[in-house]
Amino acid sequence: MGNSALRAHVETAQKTGVFQLKDRGLTEFPSELQKLTSNLRTIDLSNNKIESLPPMIIGKFTLLKSLSLNNNKLTVLPEELCNLKKLEILSLNNNHLRELPSTFGQLAALKTLSLSGNQLRALPPQLCSLRHLDVVDLSKNQIRSIPDIVGELQVIELNLNQNQISQISVKISCCPRLKVLRLEENCLELSMLPQSILSDSQICLLAVEGNLFEIKKLRELDGYDKYMERFTATKKKFA
């Protein structure tokens, strides 16, 4: 991509607050964007070949609300990313991330986090510090179990489809706002699914197809009728 084309994109972004440059084969984060650290509200660099984010620049986008880097080659995120105090949407699907920065809990405004198709092996505990987080997508990773700390999550929707989960802490029933739990295509035995999810939680949509049990067996469990009451009430609300 020529310099003049990039310059034109930068000039447009200066006026609109939106910088979008997808499918351009970029191998690095455009350094030209450092001129716009106080302008940009949205950056979308999806479908490129970016391997890292520049620590000296990335934390300076003080107004940034949405950052998308889906389908790149990121292996690690710099701690400086966590300085983005206004960031509400972070989309990093299909990269090579194994973990999140220890300071990730500082992204206080974050509402939507998409990390599908990475190499996470555990539920990142930093997510439990994020009080405004509504939706988290951790599908298509390598997560094997859900630990007790999950009970502190504030999310409304948690997508864990297509992992390798065989164990879930009963604490998942304590999530105060969790309404939608997606666990399709994991390694769950029915005996490993906490019954309190059905009988004693806020969850009104539980998706568990493609595990090591038949769905009809789920319907025989104690508490399933309570779950169906919540499911039906929610369905009516949106009908």
Side-chain angles (χ1 to χ4, degrees):
M1 176 172 185
N3 274 347
S4 57
L6 183 55
R7 236 187 345 263
H9 275 278
V10 170
E11 282 170 21
T12 304
Q14 209 154 5
K15 298 171 194 151
T16 61
V18 175
F19 186 84
Q20 190 177 64
L21 207 55
K22 303 196 288 189
D23 302 292
R24 297 301 178 102
L26 297 178
T27 53
E28 52 188 42
F29 189 91
S31 58
E32 290 81 357
L33 291 188
Q34 56 192 320
K35 300 171 194 161
L36 304 177
T37 50
S38 55
N39 294 62
L40 292 182
R41 292 185 309 280
T42 300
I43 296 175
D44 188 350
L45 292 165
S46 296
N47 308 339
N48 283 292
K49 297 172 183 173
I50 297 169
E51 293 182 10
S52 64
L53 299 177
M56 302 303 286
I57 303 173
I58 196 66
K60 293 182 177 171
F61 292 95
T62 47
L63 298 179
L64 198 67
K65 286 195 164 186
S66 176
L67 176 61
S68 296
L69 286 147
N70 299 319
N71 302 306
N72 275 282
K73 296 186 174 182
L74 298 172
T75 54
V76 69
L77 300 175
E79 299 272 339
E80 289 80 359
L81 178 74
C82 307
N83 296 335
L84 302 176
K85 297 293 184 253
K86 298 207 168 174
L87 194 67
E88 294 181 4
I89 299 168
L90 179 57
S91 200
L92 299 166
N93 297 327
N94 302 319
N95 279 280
H96 307 298
L97 299 169
R98 291 176 180 271
E99 58 185 6
L100 300 181
S102 60
T103 50
F104 199 82
Q106 293 175 12
L107 291 171
L110 200 63
K111 291 180 179 175
T112 301
L113 175 62
S114 301
L115 287 163
S116 179
N118 278 280
Q119 294 169 19
L120 300 172
R121 292 178 177 271
L123 182 81
Q126 301 94 313
L127 303 187
C128 297
S129 314
L130 298 168
R131 309 326 276 170
H132 298 286
L133 199 55
D134 291 332
V135 178
V136 174
D137 186 354
L138 298 172
S139 61
K140 300 181 184 174
N141 277 279
Q142 297 161 21
I143 299 169
R144 293 174 180 271
S145 65
I146 304 302
D148 287 351
I149 197 168
V150 72
E152 296 172 33
L153 266 183
Q154 295 293 316
V155 297
I156 296 169
E157 177 169 345
L158 179 58
N159 187 343
L160 292 162
N161 288 347
Q162 291 179 280
N163 277 278
Q164 297 158 20
I165 297 166
S166 59
Q167 286 186 310
I168 301 179
S169 166
V170 69
K171 298 279 188 193
I172 199 161
S173 311
C174 304
C175 293
R177 300 201 303 151
L178 187 60
K179 300 271 195 246
V180 178
L181 178 58
R182 301 186 186 279
L183 286 163
E184 293 178 323
E185 295 180 48
N186 276 282
C187 307
L188 280 169
E189 300 274 2
L190 189 57
S191 58
M192 287 291 142
L193 191 71
Q195 289 200 16
S196 53
I197 289 177
L198 299 173
S199 60
D200 194 24
S201 78
Q202 302 290 318
I203 295 165
C204 48
L205 177 60
L206 175 65
V208 288
E209 285 79 4
N211 279 280
L212 306 178
F213 58 86
E214 294 176 47
I215 292 298
K216 66 180 181 187
K217 296 283 186 195
L218 178 71
R219 297 179 189 131
E220 294 166 10
L221 291 182
D222 283 349
Y224 187 79
D225 51 343
K226 281 190 175 176
Y227 162 69
M228 280 311 292
E229 281 171 22
R230 296 193 303 274
F231 175 80
T232 309
T234 307
K235 223 165 136 180
K236 278 183 185 158
K237 205 189 291 182
F238 293 106

